[in-house]
Amino acid sequence: MTAASSGPAFSVHDIPFSTYGSWFDISPVVAEKTYAEDLHLVSHQNGMHAVLRLAPLNTTSGERAETRVEAIPGLLSWIGDSGQIHLAYESADTVRLRGSGLGVDVFAAAHTLTPFSGTYFFHDPAARAHVFTSYETGRRYRVTLLSGTIAEPAGDQALSSSDRGLTVTAQAGGTWEIAIEELDTARPPYASSATFDDIVESVRGAFADFVDAVAPWRSSATPAAELAAYVVWSATVRPAGLVNRPAVLMSKHWMDKVWSWDHCFNALALASGCPELALDQYHLPFDHQDDSGALPDSVTHSEVLYNFVKPPIHGWAFAHLRRLLPPPHQDELAQTYARLERWTDFWLTARRAPDTQLPYYQHGNDSGWDNATTFGPERVVVTADLAAFLVLQLHELSALAEELGKSEEARRWTAAAEVTQTALFDQLWTGDRFVARSVATGDTWSSASLLDLMPIVLGEHLPGEVGSALADHIKAHLTPYGLATELPTSPHYLADGYWRGPIWAPATVLVEDGLRRAGHQRLADDISARFRALCETHGFAENFDALTGTGLRDRAYTWTASSYLLLAEAHAHRESR
């Protein structure tokens, strides 16, 4: 009998089954937009790689058994007419499987082994276990039998093309159990005194503690809070490789990186309940800041990419973090100030043309809005959103400098903010809307992209008439489900057009916050309510069809879950006043 567990049920086709700290998950999603028939152990070390195929077995016929898969935090189950298989994480690198009435095939996902790819399989007498070694992940996957029987393994020590793996069964009426570990080279033979039920209960408790920390305000009015917390909790990995802090990946599907603006939303959602983890999220990209002061585009286990950057929302984010986190020590504040200063200097030097006052993007990817129509005519452009983010960052640097006793520097940052904001209005404001400007020719244009309206993030710094004009334009982007990133009436609108139509969490949070600070509370409330309802109905996808609400692309995206938690918490606090 498996111990009772609790928590929201979810589909593993949408959300991978995993646990806090683990670099692997159990899922049918084996590559970008690729779904296998069977669940796989999918590792995110050295990229996303399906390593082992886990298939339920009808022990009478020897064929694959038809089962339904059920998942709740802490427990994954295959349920068939003749039996069940259960899986739980004993630790971040070890899962236990137990079955009765059904057997299980544990086979290498890769059929072909070459000198540089695939999975080798053998029995290790020292460990008293079977071992798969994966070229793709550079790790070993050790299977130890705890009870039951292993049939004659297939492909033991085989080279080239071969099925490789083992089948575990039990005598009629009995149970079998195995442990699967992800490890580097070697460790002592597997041993554990914990029962399977003990493991399930331990994970259940760990997740419950996390939910209580990050969403103590949850109620029936915020029905997706626990599942949002699970998406974040299960996508968190322990330090390994180039990730030197606990990190919330954007997903344990194929978007398995930390991008250098996504992390800010996860940090904000974690700040109240898990302050240390929140600061880890904020600082992780800064750990890889280059000599120019630029942040990388993304960080993951085995690569740091610098071919693009991301927008400087970090001053905005840290200003909010400081209101949520315990007061930092002066040395911690000084470190953040130094990092934010270098990041800002990058935009003021490497990204400003000679004798100009406004910075530019080199590509849509730099903005985070990769293919937005703002970048339709040209890619190397001065845009209003960039200047607005930089103004907020300069104000935050001024506040930090003042707190650190650097009054002269504080005045310098304030003056820079004023110069930048003045240039923003002088050069890009038409009296009704903002335009983008070519760095090469000076030509300007407007678009139907919500990106053109992002200076609403300036909030209280905006003249009233500008805030009102932006709010009116923003209303036109509002569908029953939220803010379309391209006007639905635009000829460039695409239902699954990435930043040319779909609803995105970060744009929603930034616009909602800016509107609220600019005094447009009712519109901010409406945007928040529609996005929360969207997540409660359609989950936590990377983005959503603006006209139907359908989740698109990666279906288990942490910044979406974190944005839901942020908006739901703020709503709950407003309602309780």
Side-chain angles (χ1 to χ4, degrees):
M1 184 69 180
T2 298
S5 188
S6 62
F10 59 92
S11 167
V12 292
H13 279 76
D14 292 337
I15 300 172
F17 182 80
S18 192
T19 198
Y20 184 98
S22 181
W23 278 93
F24 68 84
D25 62 83
I26 310 299
S27 171
V29 181
V30 295
E32 182 176 355
K33 302 178 185 176
T34 304
Y35 292 76
E37 181 181 19
D38 290 313
L39 300 188
H40 284 64
L41 185 154
V42 181
S43 180
H44 299 273
Q45 301 199 62
N46 287 334
M48 179 189 185
H49 304 289
V51 181
L52 301 179
R53 176 176 59 85
L54 307 175
L57 182 71
N58 184 314
T59 55
T60 301
S61 67
E63 301 295 323
R64 182 183 182 279
E66 291 300 318
T67 60
R68 70 180 186 276
V69 175
E70 297 180 354
I72 55 175
L75 184 65
L76 175 69
S77 302
W78 291 258
I79 311 295
D81 291 339
S82 59
Q84 303 180 356
I85 301 170
H86 302 289
L87 181 150
Y89 278 81
E90 182 173 10
S91 67
D93 63 14
T94 302
V95 290
R96 289 260 288 266
L97 287 87
R98 185 174 71 176
S100 61
L102 295 173
V104 69
D105 282 340
V106 182
F107 274 71
H111 190 260
T112 301
L113 177 67
T114 78
F116 304 104
S117 66
T119 302
Y120 176 60
F121 175 62
F122 64 98
H123 180 263
D124 184 358
R128 301 186 293 278
H130 291 83
V131 178
F132 299 84
T133 69
S134 168
Y135 273 99
E136 282 72 21
T137 69
R139 301 299 182 275
R140 296 164 186 249
Y141 302 83
R142 190 168 73 181
V143 182
T144 301
L145 181 70
L146 306 181
S147 64
T149 303
I150 292 179
E152 185 67 25
D156 187 351
Q157 303 181 51
L159 305 178
S160 301
S161 294
S162 177
D163 289 330
R164 296 174 175 83
L166 50 87
T167 299
V168 184
T169 60
Q171 292 184 353
T175 63
W176 56 262
E177 192 166 346
I178 59 174
I180 304 177
E181 304 164 88
E182 182 178 54
L183 54 96
D184 292 342
T185 304
R187 63 173 59 158
Y190 174 85
S192 174
S193 61
T195 68
F196 189 91
D197 290 346
D198 290 339
I199 291 166
V200 173
E201 183 61 23
S202 176
V203 179
R204 186 207 64 79
F207 174 64
D209 289 345
F210 181 83
V211 177
D212 286 342
V214 301
W217 39 263
R218 67 194 185 277
S219 70
S220 59
T222 55
E226 284 195 41
L227 189 57
Y230 177 75
V231 171
V232 175
W233 178 81
S234 64
T236 304
V237 295
R238 68 190 187 281
L242 296 170
V243 176
N244 54 10
R245 302 168 180 264
V248 181
L249 302 179
M250 289 313 101
S251 175
K252 280 184 181 169
H253 286 326
W254 58 86
M255 299 296 281
D256 57 352
K257 298 182 179 184
V258 177
W259 275 269
S260 291
W261 70 311
D262 310 44
H263 68 111
C264 291
F265 300 91
N266 288 333
L268 288 168
L270 292 166
S272 296
C274 302
E276 290 186 8
L277 184 60
L279 280 173
D280 281 331
Q281 302 324 298
Y282 183 80
H283 281 290
L284 193 150
F286 284 96
D287 293 340
H288 298 277
Q289 201 166 14
D290 75 8
D291 291 341
S292 73
L295 298 184
D297 185 57
S298 63
V299 179
T300 192
H301 178 270
S302 300
E303 70 174 18
V304 180
L305 299 182
Y306 293 93
N307 51 327
F308 295 106
V309 293
K310 285 293 174 276
I313 69 165
H314 303 82
W316 168 85
F318 197 69
H320 283 289
L321 278 174
R322 286 207 295 153
R323 289 188 280 272
L324 297 169
L325 294 169
H329 297 298
Q330 286 293 97
D331 57 343
E332 294 172 343
L333 204 62
Q335 181 196 45
T336 303
Y337 175 76
R339 289 177 158 196
L340 206 54
E341 178 182 35
R342 293 182 60 225
W343 178 220
T344 305
D345 282 340
F346 163 80
W347 289 101
L348 296 176
T349 54
R351 289 298 181 89
R352 284 201 302 194
D355 302 318
T356 62
Q357 296 163 313
L358 296 177
Y360 59 86
Y361 292 130
Q362 295 176 341
H363 187 281
N365 288 1
D366 285 344
S367 74
W369 293 53
D370 308 3
N371 66 333
T373 53
T374 301
F375 303 99
E378 296 183 33
R379 263 59 64 196
V380 182
V381 294
V382 173
T383 64
D385 70 296
L386 174 53
F389 291 140
L390 197 58
V391 168
L392 293 180
Q393 192 150 294
L394 288 162
H395 281 302
E396 180 61 11
L397 277 170
S398 178
L400 291 172
E402 198 67 59
E403 194 166 336
L404 290 166
K406 302 174 182 286
S407 297
E408 185 175 337
E409 291 186 25
R411 288 191 290 273
R412 177 166 61 87
W413 294 124
T414 297
E418 292 171 352
V419 167
T420 304
Q421 182 159 325
T422 298
L424 167 63
F425 286 106
D426 288 347
Q427 299 175 30
L428 301 182
W429 179 248
T430 67
D432 174 63
R433 64 185 307 120
F434 286 101
V435 295
R437 192 186 72 223
S438 165
V439 174
T441 67
D443 293 343
T444 61
W445 60 85
S446 62
S447 76
S449 174
L450 184 64
L451 184 62
D452 291 7
L453 309 178
M454 291 308 292
I456 193 65
V457 299
L458 286 170
E460 68 276 16
H461 301 289
L462 286 171
E465 66 276 11
V466 175
S468 294
L470 291 175
D472 286 342
H473 286 303
I474 287 166
K475 287 176 189 175
H477 285 260
L478 195 55
T479 76
Y481 302 96
L483 289 170
T485 46
E486 180 82 4
L487 279 175
T489 55
S490 164
H492 302 293
Y493 177 88
L494 295 170
D496 187 9
Y498 223 50
W499 292 93
R500 293 193 172 198
I503 296 165
W504 285 80
T508 301
V509 169
L510 288 162
V511 168
E512 192 265 2
D513 174 67
L515 285 167
R516 206 170 287 286
R517 289 187 292 106
H520 296 274
Q521 306 292 338
R522 185 173 297 177
L523 180 56
D525 287 344
D526 192 9
I527 289 169
S528 171
R530 294 188 197 204
F531 185 79
R532 286 182 281 114
L534 174 67
C535 293
E536 288 160 4
T537 304
H538 294 283
F540 305 105
E542 184 180 354
N543 52 68
F544 303 86
D545 186 313
L547 301 183
T548 68
T550 303
L552 303 171
R553 310 291 175 120
D554 193 311
R555 300 296 297 275
Y557 218 74
T558 56
W559 75 355
T560 307
S562 288
S563 294
Y564 175 83
L565 291 170
L566 282 170
L567 295 174
E569 179 178 18
H571 173 71
H573 289 164
R574 285 193 297 272
E575 289 293 296
S576 66
R577 289 174 189 163

